[in-house]
Amino acid sequence: MLEETVVQDVFAKKRNKTKWFIYKILFITLGAVLMGVGLELFLVNNRILDGGIVGISIIISQLTPAPLGVLMFILNIPFFIIGYRKIGKSFALFTLYGIAVMSAVTLVLHDLEPVTDDLLLATVFGGVTLGLGVGIVIRNGGALDGTEIVSIIINGKTPFSTGQIIMAINIVIFLVAGLVFNWDRAMYSLITYFLAYKVIDIVISGLDESKSAFIISHHYEKIGAEIIDQLGKGVTYIDASGGYSGDIKKVVFVIISRFEEPKLISILDDIDPNAFLAVGNNMSEVRGGKMMNKKTPHL
């Protein structure tokens, strides 16, 4: 009986791992396809660049007969090897798969006419499409550009953030684009990069981005009850002591979305306008702690 249970557990774990792998592959495929569509149907034929290795590949493809898809794949291989050694096997393999799909899509779509030759429309829709694609891939454990891998590795050895490193690399690429093509294309490329960056942020963090809120008030129980009643959120009461006064205080801790912050402030204004409130931004992931019913004032 025990052996049968062990065998069932093993098969269950394998099924769950297979489902997880299929889920990741499907979404990385979707993201890579969106990236390829954004490049070939909006940007490349209008001579608008993305950043990173993709941007370098676009510049070379415009100056030589080499296909963009082949260039992107070849130029990213060294970074795949670095990622495999430094970051992890699954990340590197998902990245290689994503880059392969993206490169194949650009080869298939290369001879098609762009959706629009209006530079502003191409910039906006190309940037949004790229951002969606890259964001989906990153959220599922991969990457579509070697500079992302390099920046992650360099980040641990320098005082600069990953975003600052990527931005510095891309500024150099856009300057080269201005010299090779013209400066208006470089400026459109910069707009594309900015739009893609913001969309990536939304895809990874979500429109319903979570925030942490800390509230200190003598009316903490009433505030907690109103948060539970009006926002449907679980709250946690934390014991704390004042660093100057040494007084024992209760801190109300709650996770809210960006859209719920005004309502939280309204609750505080009604109960205790002098309450201390600190809201932390950019909580990339919040799991568990679901409130089972409104009588449970815990996270």
Side-chain angles (χ1 to χ4, degrees):
M1 189 69 178
L2 180 60
E3 291 180 357
E4 184 180 344
T5 303
V6 171
V7 171
Q8 288 176 347
D9 288 342
V10 170
F11 278 114
K13 288 179 181 179
K14 286 184 177 180
R15 282 197 300 270
N16 289 336
K17 191 172 183 179
T18 301
K19 288 179 181 179
W20 173 85
F21 181 77
I22 293 172
Y23 173 89
K24 295 292 185 183
I25 288 295
L26 286 175
F27 276 96
I28 289 173
T29 302
L30 173 62
V33 169
L34 285 172
M35 179 77 170
V37 168
L39 288 172
E40 286 294 349
L41 298 188
F42 290 102
L43 301 181
V44 175
N45 286 331
N46 287 302
R47 293 194 171 186
I48 301 172
L49 303 187
D50 184 25
I53 300 301
V54 174
I56 295 171
S57 300
I58 294 173
I59 293 174
I60 296 174
S61 71
Q62 295 290 324
L63 299 177
T64 68
L68 174 61
V70 174
L71 285 169
M72 288 192 298
F73 187 79
I74 292 174
L75 293 179
N76 272 300
I77 287 177
F79 302 100
F80 159 75
I81 296 171
I82 295 171
Y84 187 90
R85 292 177 178 174
K86 298 289 186 179
I87 300 177
K89 181 179 179 180
S90 62
F91 172 82
L93 292 176
F94 283 149
T95 296
L96 180 64
Y97 173 75
I99 292 171
V101 172
M102 175 183 66
S103 300
V105 170
T106 59
L107 289 171
V108 171
L109 299 179
H110 181 68
D111 293 329
L112 296 181
E113 291 294 321
V115 172
T116 177
D117 57 4
D118 183 293
L119 292 181
L120 182 58
L121 289 176
T123 297
V124 172
F125 284 92
V128 170
T129 306
L130 259 59
L132 285 171
V134 174
I136 290 170
V137 172
I138 292 176
R139 183 158 186 162
N140 287 278
L144 290 176
D145 196 281
T147 53
E148 296 164 15
I149 298 172
V150 172
S151 65
I152 290 170
I153 295 170
I154 294 176
N155 175 241
K157 301 178 180 179
T158 69
F160 303 106
S161 69
T162 301
Q164 290 172 330
I165 295 167
I166 292 175
M167 175 61 80
I169 294 170
N170 287 333
I171 286 174
V172 174
I173 292 170
F174 294 142
L175 287 173
V176 173
L179 295 171
V180 172
F181 302 132
N182 53 53
W183 291 108
D184 67 332
R185 289 302 195 279
M187 288 185 282
Y188 277 118
S189 299
L190 190 59
I191 295 172
T192 298
Y193 171 74
F194 177 76
L195 288 172
Y197 177 83
K198 297 307 293 184
V199 174
I200 290 169
D201 183 53
I202 291 172
V203 172
I204 294 174
S205 301
L207 284 170
D208 198 27
E209 181 183 10
S210 295
K211 298 184 176 189
S212 58
F214 295 87
I215 304 157
I216 301 175
S217 171
H218 293 299
H219 306 284
Y220 66 90
E221 287 184 319
K222 190 173 181 181
I223 290 171
E226 287 300 310
I227 291 173
I228 293 169
D229 183 58
Q230 296 191 38
L231 296 180
K233 298 289 184 179
V235 301
T236 297
Y237 300 125
I238 303 171
D239 291 322
S241 59
Y244 177 74
S245 65
D247 294 340
I248 301 300
K249 301 177 184 292
K250 286 285 188 180
V251 178
V252 182
F253 174 72
V254 62
I255 301 295
I256 58 174
S257 73
R258 67 176 75 185
F259 303 112
E260 291 167 332
E261 186 177 352
K263 184 61 179 176
L264 176 62
I265 293 172
S266 175
I267 290 172
L268 296 182
D269 287 341
D270 290 340
I271 299 173
D272 183 5
N274 295 317
F276 173 83
L277 170 66
V279 178
N281 290 322
N282 302 325
M283 297 189 72
S284 60
E285 186 167 350
V286 176
R287 293 188 182 186
K290 299 297 183 182
M291 188 177 67
M292 299 306 294
N293 56 64
K294 289 189 177 182
K295 293 182 181 180
T296 308
H298 297 287
L299 191 65

